[in-house]
Amino acid sequence: MFARPQPLYWLTLDPVRGASHAWLALALALAAAIAGLDYITGYDFSLLIAYLVPIFLATWMIGRAAGVALACIAVGLWTAMFAFKHPFSHPFLFMWEAALQFCVYIIFVVVLNHLRIALAHADERFVTVLEGLHASVYVVDAGGGELLYLNQKGREAFGGGGTSSVREIERRLGIRFADLMVAQQSGAGMPLEMRDSATGKWYWLAVRVMRWVDGRIVQLHIATDITARKQAEEVARQQHEKLDMTARLVTVGEMASVLAHELNQPLAAIANYNMGCVRRLRSGNWRPGELLDALEKSSAQAGRAGSIIQRVREFLRKRELDLAPSDLSGMIMDVAGLIRAEAGRHAIDLRLDLDPRLPKALADGIMIKQVLINLVRNAIEAMQAVPAEQRELRIHSSAESPDRLHVEVADRGPGLPSELTENLFRPFFTTKADGMGMGLQICRSIIEFHGGRMWATANPGGGVVIHFTLVVAKP
Ligand code: ADP
């Protein structure tokens, strides 16, 4: 429910009781004066029309009943005065004139009263809307000195009214109304969002210069409370910052785990080759060819470690891949060459099922090899838990469509329970005591950077198949 609105203008349907008495007294005095003037002038001037003034005052300022009363009094006075003079040839003409006058007065009162009520209702509707608005609406005169109107919301927000409120609003919003006026007239930009220093609330201020009901130039301000929006923006900004920070941390974490994960293998190989050389040298049973071969392999592994670091560094710096038409089967065979010894140690039967007519893939060779090594190593680790005769690792490549190549890395390990299939690519998901749970996540990111897709399915014969696709390089 809205509070009863305060009228904007002097027009009102409920005049103050004392004021209506004063208006009635004034109207009566005017009627008496007109009658006296009529008598003094000997009815030579027709002053009948002059009675409309007190009738107007009574109707407009007090109401219809007062207007009708004044109309009766005016006709009564006129009739009484004429009764002395008898200017009409026949009494009927005199009565006819009086009746006509009365009708004119009554019509005047009725029309005037309708107009008054319509105007007052229009005013009341207008004020009710303003009072019911959720925004603070106030009107200050052009210089910003006087507060002419303040709606309900404005009174709640800034209190009271009057000139003190003008200074109070200016102080709290950190603006000067006179400056706003100048800015409006010069077309200069104004700060639209303002903070109320007393309550901490935010307002969006719309200012319009216009003419007030009494003709003077005023500023109409509509201050909409945007605190909730501001708070939501602030929360969103903070969340965005946190997300940004988390994303950066994840990237750093990803890269750290890539290095840890991927450097482990070449470093272990280097250590093995070196230890082999040391053992042979210690035993005194060595041939230069063997040592040379081992040292060359060790150096190749060191080179691979260096290229991994280089690639990761570039990846971090540019987040761009070195995409080029690459031979997918060649990459798989390279990885198989690297991993075969390890597979042999774990009694794993490594099978390659490669399509020799595959078109070239658009890929970063080193990155795709890292993906393959990671998948193959996961498969080898998974198959440690199954009997040796069952351990089979198959890498299959094919053309899924004219513009997409498909790779499968299938093992015969214990497989994945269905709830784990969903978690498989989730960062930090691991079932290994020393695992980081980042390998598959990074693999998928790399494949997605290539425009491909990675997913897992169950191997019909038991175990897991990890699939990925790559885009065919355009000739
Ligand atoms: P990490 O090996 O470092 O833990 P990965 O992202 O490579 O991280 O793998 C996450 C988890 O997914 C592993 O801990 C393992 O439980 C499961 N997983 C991955 N590959 C296979 C697979 N071929 N067979 C069964 N489980 C697998």
Side-chain angles (χ1 to χ4, degrees):
M1 283 294 288
F2 300 134
R4 178 148 187 85
Q6 300 299 310
L8 272 183
Y9 201 37
W10 55 273
L11 177 67
T12 169
L13 285 175
D14 298 316
V16 182
R17 193 172 293 276
S20 68
H21 286 165
W23 285 115
L24 187 62
L26 178 65
L28 287 173
L30 267 175
I34 293 164
L37 205 61
D38 228 355
Y39 182 75
I40 292 165
T41 56
Y43 304 97
D44 292 339
F45 303 101
S46 177
L47 290 179
L48 262 178
I49 196 84
Y51 284 110
L52 286 177
V53 177
I55 293 171
F56 168 82
L57 280 180
T59 312
W60 193 260
M61 301 312 297
I62 305 167
R64 189 178 51 190
V68 172
L70 250 294
C72 293
I73 290 168
V75 172
L77 281 172
W78 182 80
T79 316
M81 293 302 167
F82 270 72
F84 293 114
K85 283 272 186 168
H86 301 295
F88 292 91
S89 54
H90 193 280
F92 172 76
L93 291 177
F94 170 59
M95 297 307 289
W96 175 245
E97 181 74 17
L100 269 183
Q101 286 306 324
F102 184 70
C103 289
V104 169
Y105 289 158
I106 291 302
I107 290 168
F108 178 67
V109 167
V110 169
V111 170
L112 197 61
N113 193 51
H114 269 292
L115 183 65
R116 169 183 172 271
I117 289 172
L119 269 177
H121 280 163
D123 181 57
E124 196 169 8
R125 275 199 298 274
F126 174 58
V127 174
T128 304
V129 169
L130 282 181
E131 291 293 310
L133 276 182
H134 280 297
S136 300
V137 179
Y138 49 90
V139 179
V140 285
D141 72 356
E146 194 186 340
L147 190 67
L148 301 170
Y149 174 72
L150 183 67
N151 75 343
Q152 172 77 21
K153 200 76 187 167
R155 289 193 291 279
E156 282 168 20
F158 303 110
T163 314
S164 63
S165 283
V166 175
R167 301 283 89 85
E168 178 70 0
I169 297 170
E170 284 185 323
R171 188 186 63 74
R172 282 168 53 172
L173 296 185
I175 45 166
R176 281 190 59 226
F177 293 152
D179 294 346
L180 285 182
M181 184 80 178
V182 174
Q184 262 268 330
Q185 282 166 349
S186 64
M190 295 181 293
L192 291 176
E193 293 185 351
M194 297 174 183
R195 188 173 169 277
D196 181 350
S197 58
T199 60
K201 287 188 172 178
W202 279 90
Y203 292 97
W204 189 83
L205 194 67
V207 181
R208 240 197 100 196
V209 175
M210 59 176 206
R211 202 170 281 282
W212 190 234
V213 285
D214 58 4
R216 64 175 128 169
I217 301 292
V218 294
Q219 300 177 36
L220 168 72
H221 290 200
I222 302 174
T224 311
D225 189 339
I226 53 165
T227 314
R229 197 194 82 196
K230 276 280 183 188
Q231 282 167 350
E233 278 174 8
E234 181 59 19
V235 169
R237 193 188 59 76
Q238 284 173 2
Q239 273 174 352
H240 195 264
E241 261 175 25
K242 273 190 203 153
L243 273 178
D244 237 30
M245 175 66 85
T246 315
R248 273 200 292 271
L249 286 176
V250 167
T251 307
V252 170
E254 272 185 16
M255 288 307 144
S257 81
V258 165
L259 282 175
H261 210 91
E262 309 308 340
L263 288 179
N264 205 29
Q265 211 256 343
L267 288 177
I270 291 168
N272 280 340
Y273 289 130
N274 286 353
M275 279 313 294
C277 291
V278 169
R279 268 200 304 276
R280 280 190 169 82
L281 285 170
R282 279 218 180 105
S283 69
N285 177 19
W286 55 275
R287 279 183 287 123
E290 281 177 352
L291 284 188
L292 199 62
D293 183 46
L295 286 172
E296 273 173 0
K297 283 180 173 161
S298 170
S299 141
Q301 290 296 326
R304 193 176 137 227
S307 67
I308 291 169
I309 293 174
Q310 182 61 26
R311 184 64 63 217
V312 170
R313 190 184 287 153
E314 281 174 15
F315 185 61
L316 260 183
R317 197 182 325 126
K318 305 187 288 177
R319 271 290 194 190
E320 274 174 19
L321 298 170
D322 189 9
L323 295 176
S326 311
D327 177 9
L328 185 57
S329 298
M331 284 189 275
I332 296 173
M333 282 192 290
D334 282 354
V335 169
L338 282 170
I339 221 81
R340 201 171 285 280
E342 199 182 339
R345 272 201 304 279
H346 291 96
I348 290 170
D349 183 6
L350 176 59
R351 294 185 179 194
L352 302 185
D353 178 9
L354 309 176
D355 185 341
R357 291 152 305 158
L358 280 188
K360 295 231 187 268
L362 187 64
D364 181 327
I366 289 179
M367 285 296 203
I368 296 302
K369 281 189 208 172
Q370 291 310 312
V371 170
L372 284 164
I373 288 173
N374 195 70
L375 298 182
V376 167
R377 194 173 301 132
N378 271 348
I380 291 173
E381 284 172 3
M383 281 190 286
Q384 284 173 16
V386 297
E389 65 279 9
Q390 200 182 307
R391 297 177 191 168
E392 184 193 284
L393 173 57
R394 191 174 62 92
I395 306 178
H396 171 64
S397 66
S398 61
E400 189 189 64
S401 67
D403 53 2
R404 220 158 254 277
L405 303 181
H406 183 196
V407 178
E408 289 175 5
V409 179
D411 64 62
R412 302 288 302 277
L416 289 167
S418 58
E419 69 272 14
L420 286 193
T421 316
E422 285 159 31
N423 290 325
L424 199 61
F425 296 94
R426 214 183 60 196
F428 306 117
F429 167 75
T430 182
T431 55
K432 300 168 197 163
D434 58 345
M436 282 214 27
M438 289 301 297
L440 285 176
Q441 154 79 14
I442 294 164
C443 288
R444 188 154 76 168
S445 301
I446 291 171
I447 294 299
E448 283 172 0
F449 271 120
H450 280 78
R453 210 162 65 81
M454 179 177 273
W455 70 101
T457 58
N459 195 343
V464 174
V465 185
I466 306 283
H467 308 250
F468 68 84
T469 58
L470 286 174
V471 178
V472 169
K474 296 266 175 314

